[in-house]
């Protein structure tokens, strides 16, 4: 709107300001009885209407991305999936997604079935984040059950790209962990994952297959995904796993690929921790030989390997050796906002790392606000932050938009009630 020209005397703009002051004064008289409505300090809150418009604009962009998942152009679909992956990991959008879950689920299924390589990989990652956003309600389980067949199909397809199979392995494990309590479903997904990494074990003649880096990366992902589901298995299932897999896992410690050695070592420590929980008198037959192997890896100084690789291996296998010999786990404290969690067991370590890999830099935001994630890590309900806390936590401008949008809606609703004739004060 063009600015009004200044004139002598009281201008139209001044009349407009006076009128606004009168309206504000009248609104204040009605609003004074609703002081319990959430408010924020002036240095955090921008105008409520502006914030609401910004949120609506962001949601419109997300809706455009959802529509673009059905576009004919592969590039457009991939760009839309990448945008949704970033949005779902950084923001809490459960209400927005709940209203569109069927549309998004159908679009993701089409991307997984019709797409190739990178598109399938991105779509599987978005599936994980969608289930994480929908929470523990039936909506998440419904979404997972709809997409599980196509995810399993890609994982087991030897002609599919390795990146797509890796992403599907992670998605199957995370979605199963988040969305279902059915132990049979967990066992089925674990069987799918075993079908992938079992080829890493020695053949009948006790020789290891020489796979390339891409296949080894798939083995690592499948092992980590399988380990995540292992943390929620009942004791009877764990006993079978200990009998069938614990004797074979040490063979992976001799593979040249440092990543699979590390994954195998951490999985061995995890199995020892779970075995002691099931049976305090648990004993491993070849413990001395296993410890010697772990000790060699913890002190490895082979010059043919990169310095950073040797340092990383030694650090992790020192912790693995303590886990096997003494039943100890490395401890770290993860801080987010004014809270923190302690990652002090191999089970908790595998769980936290799985969420960190899925959410990336957004893991702290979900630890603060996502009720499902907070329940998993036993953090209780999300904390209510006042204006000062919001400022100190250095939230992004968009994050303030969401908080202020909620306050704007609450104020509007309260004012509407107070303006109703039944609320008039005589």
């Amino acid at each position: 709107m063009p600015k009004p020209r200044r004139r002598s005397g009281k201008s139209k703009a001044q009349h407009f300001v006076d009128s606004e002051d009168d309206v504000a004064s009248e609104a204040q008289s009605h609003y004074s009885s609703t002081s319990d409505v959430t408010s924020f300090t002036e240095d955090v809150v921008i105008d409520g209407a502006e914030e609401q418009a910004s949120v609506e604009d962001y949601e419109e962009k997300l809706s455009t991305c959802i529509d673009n998942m059905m576009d004919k152009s592969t590039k457009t679909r991939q760009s839309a999936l990448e945008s949704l992956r970033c949005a779902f990991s950084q923001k809490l959008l459960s209400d927005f997604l709940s209203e569109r879950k069927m549309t998004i689920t159908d679009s993701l299924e089409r991307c997984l079935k019709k797409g190739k390589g990178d598109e399938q990989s991105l779509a599987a990652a978005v599936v994980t984040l969608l289930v994480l956003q929908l929470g523990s309600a039936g909506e998440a389980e419904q979404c997972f059950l709809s997409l599980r067949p196509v995810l399993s199909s890609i994982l087991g397809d030897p002609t599919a790209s390795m990146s797509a199979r890796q992403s599907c392995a992670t998605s199957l494990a995370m979605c199963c962990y988040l969305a279902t309590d059915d132990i049979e479903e967990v066992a089925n997904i674990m069987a799918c994952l075993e079908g992938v990494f079992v080829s890493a074990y020695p053949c009948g003649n006790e020789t290891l297959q020489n796979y390339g880096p891409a296949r080894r990366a798939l083995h690592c992902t499948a092992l980590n995904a399988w380990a995540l589901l292992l943390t929620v298995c009942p004791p009877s299932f764990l006993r079978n796993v200990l009998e069938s897999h614990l004797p074979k896992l040490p063979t992976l410690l001799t593979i040249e690929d440092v990543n699979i050695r590390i994954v195998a070592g951490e999985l061995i420590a995890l199995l020892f921790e779970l075995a002691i929980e099931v049976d305090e008198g648990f004993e491993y037959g070849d413990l001395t030989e296993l410890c010697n192997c772990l000790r060699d890896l913890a002190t490895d100084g082979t010059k043919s390997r990169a310095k950073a690789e040797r340092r990383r291996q030694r650090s992790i296998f020192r912790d693995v050796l303590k886990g096997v010999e003494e039943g100890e786990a490395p401890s770290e404290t993860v801080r987010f906002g004014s809270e923190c969690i302690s990652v002090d067991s191999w089970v908790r370590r595998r769980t936290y790392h799985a969420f960190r890999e899925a959410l990336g830099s957004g893991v702290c935001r979900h630890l603060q606000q996502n009720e499902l994630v907070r329940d998993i890590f036993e953090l209780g309900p999300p904390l209510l932050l006042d204006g000062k806390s919001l400022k100190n936590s250095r939230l992004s401008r968009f994050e303030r938009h969401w908080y202020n949008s909620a306050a704007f809606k609450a104020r509007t609703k309260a004012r509407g009630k107070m303006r109703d004739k039944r609320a008039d004060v005589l």
Side-chain angles (χ1 to χ4, degrees):
M1 179 179 294
K3 295 182 179 180
R5 296 179 181 176
R6 290 191 175 276
R7 300 178 181 177
S8 59
K10 185 177 285 187
S11 66
K12 289 183 179 180
Q14 184 62 45
H15 281 295
F16 178 75
V17 172
D18 293 343
S19 177
E20 284 291 294
D21 291 339
D22 293 340
V23 173
S25 177
E26 181 181 354
Q28 181 65 26
S29 65
H30 285 289
Y31 186 63
S32 61
S33 61
T34 61
S35 58
D36 58 332
V37 178
T38 304
S39 60
F40 300 91
T41 56
E42 292 181 359
D43 56 351
V44 176
V45 182
I46 309 175
D47 182 72
E50 179 186 345
E51 299 294 343
Q52 178 66 14
S54 180
V55 170
E56 291 175 355
D57 180 62
Y58 188 82
E59 291 182 345
E60 184 177 349
K61 291 179 180 179
L62 286 179
S63 297
T64 301
C65 290
I66 293 171
D67 294 338
N68 286 344
M69 283 196 293
M70 300 295 286
D71 196 88
K72 292 182 179 180
S73 169
T74 301
K75 186 176 181 180
T76 301
R77 294 196 303 272
Q78 289 185 12
S79 178
L81 287 167
E82 179 62 32
S83 297
L84 291 175
R85 185 188 66 81
C86 292
F88 291 1
S89 64
Q90 297 293 332
K91 314 297 178 186
L92 201 62
L93 305 165
S94 53
D95 292 339
F96 173 83
L97 296 176
S98 181
E99 299 172 356
R100 299 163 178 81
K101 61 181 182 296
M102 294 304 298
T103 301
I104 301 174
T105 301
D106 292 342
S107 299
L108 287 171
E109 184 175 6
R110 184 181 183 280
C111 291
L112 288 166
K113 286 182 176 179
K114 304 296 183 181
K116 300 293 181 182
D118 292 340
E119 183 178 349
Q120 290 177 317
S121 180
L122 282 169
V126 174
V127 170
T128 301
L129 297 172
L130 175 61
V131 170
L132 188 61
Q133 289 273 356
L134 292 176
S136 57
E139 293 178 337
E141 185 173 11
Q142 182 182 3
C143 173
F144 168 56
L145 293 178
S146 298
L147 296 172
R148 180 197 59 191
V150 64
L151 291 170
S152 300
S153 176
I154 296 172
L155 175 62
D157 183 2
T159 64
S161 74
M162 290 298 177
S163 62
R165 296 179 71 187
Q166 283 183 254
S167 191
C168 287
T170 300
S171 183
L172 280 168
M174 283 292 291
C175 291
C176 184
Y177 182 90
L178 293 165
T180 182
D181 295 325
D182 186 355
I183 189 57
E184 291 186 5
E185 187 66 36
V186 174
N188 290 335
I189 300 300
M190 292 185 71
C192 290
L193 296 167
E194 283 182 31
V196 174
F197 71 75
V198 72
S199 59
Y201 291 148
C203 299
N205 57 359
E206 298 301 319
T207 59
L208 292 167
Q209 294 290 328
N210 186 23
Y211 293 112
R215 178 58 64 88
R216 288 302 186 195
L218 176 61
H219 290 161
C220 288
T221 302
L223 280 165
N224 276 331
W226 185 76
L228 176 66
L229 295 181
L230 200 62
T231 63
V232 294
C233 287
S236 59
F237 191 90
L238 285 173
R239 292 188 180 94
N240 294 331
V241 169
L242 292 170
E243 292 176 3
S244 59
H245 287 279
L246 193 53
K248 299 177 182 178
L249 281 170
T251 62
L252 302 184
L253 300 176
T254 61
I255 294 178
E256 283 300 315
D257 191 314
V258 65
N259 293 315
I260 200 165
R261 290 200 303 271
I262 288 173
V263 169
E266 291 179 332
L267 182 51
I268 289 171
L270 174 65
L271 283 172
F272 267 77
E273 182 177 270
L274 292 172
I276 294 173
E277 290 181 3
V278 174
D279 180 10
E280 293 184 358
F282 168 77
E283 293 183 1
Y284 181 70
D286 299 326
L287 182 61
T288 302
E289 182 180 351
L290 174 61
C291 289
N292 289 337
C293 180
L294 295 175
R295 192 172 291 107
D296 290 340
L297 291 170
T299 57
D300 185 15
T302 305
K303 298 297 183 181
S304 61
R305 293 171 182 162
K307 186 175 182 180
E309 178 182 305
R310 295 199 308 269
R311 185 186 301 113
R312 176 168 166 250
Q313 175 183 286
R314 289 196 297 264
S315 174
I316 291 175
F317 275 96
R318 283 195 294 268
D319 293 332
V320 172
L321 182 60
K322 284 185 179 180
V324 172
E325 283 187 325
E326 305 171 21
E328 295 183 4
S331 179
E332 63 176 310
T333 300
V334 179
R335 301 186 182 279
F336 49 97
S338 59
E339 301 176 271
C340 66
I341 59 173
S342 179
V343 182
D344 54 2
S345 70
W346 289 101
V347 168
R348 206 169 177 85
R349 178 187 175 94
R350 175 85 293 270
T351 305
Y352 172 70
H353 284 189
F355 278 85
R356 188 180 65 183
E357 290 161 9
L359 291 166
S361 60
V363 66
C364 291
R365 186 72 64 216
H366 282 262
L367 283 168
Q368 286 179 307
Q369 301 172 8
N370 191 314
E371 293 184 1
L372 174 59
V373 176
R374 292 181 66 84
D375 182 56
I376 290 171
F377 289 97
E378 301 175 344
L379 291 168
L383 300 181
L384 296 176
L385 301 179
D386 56 17
K388 184 177 180 181
S389 299
L390 286 175
K391 181 181 179 181
N392 292 337
S393 62
R394 298 181 182 178
L395 298 181
S396 66
R397 186 169 184 271
F398 177 78
E399 205 64 37
R400 295 197 303 271
H401 286 176
W402 284 101
Y403 281 107
N404 294 330
S405 174
F408 176 75
K409 290 178 181 179
R411 288 195 298 269
T412 302
K413 186 176 180 180
R415 286 170 178 168
K417 288 181 179 180
M418 293 308 298
R419 288 181 182 130
D420 192 280
K421 290 182 180 180
R422 290 170 294 180
D424 285 344
V425 180
L426 299 177

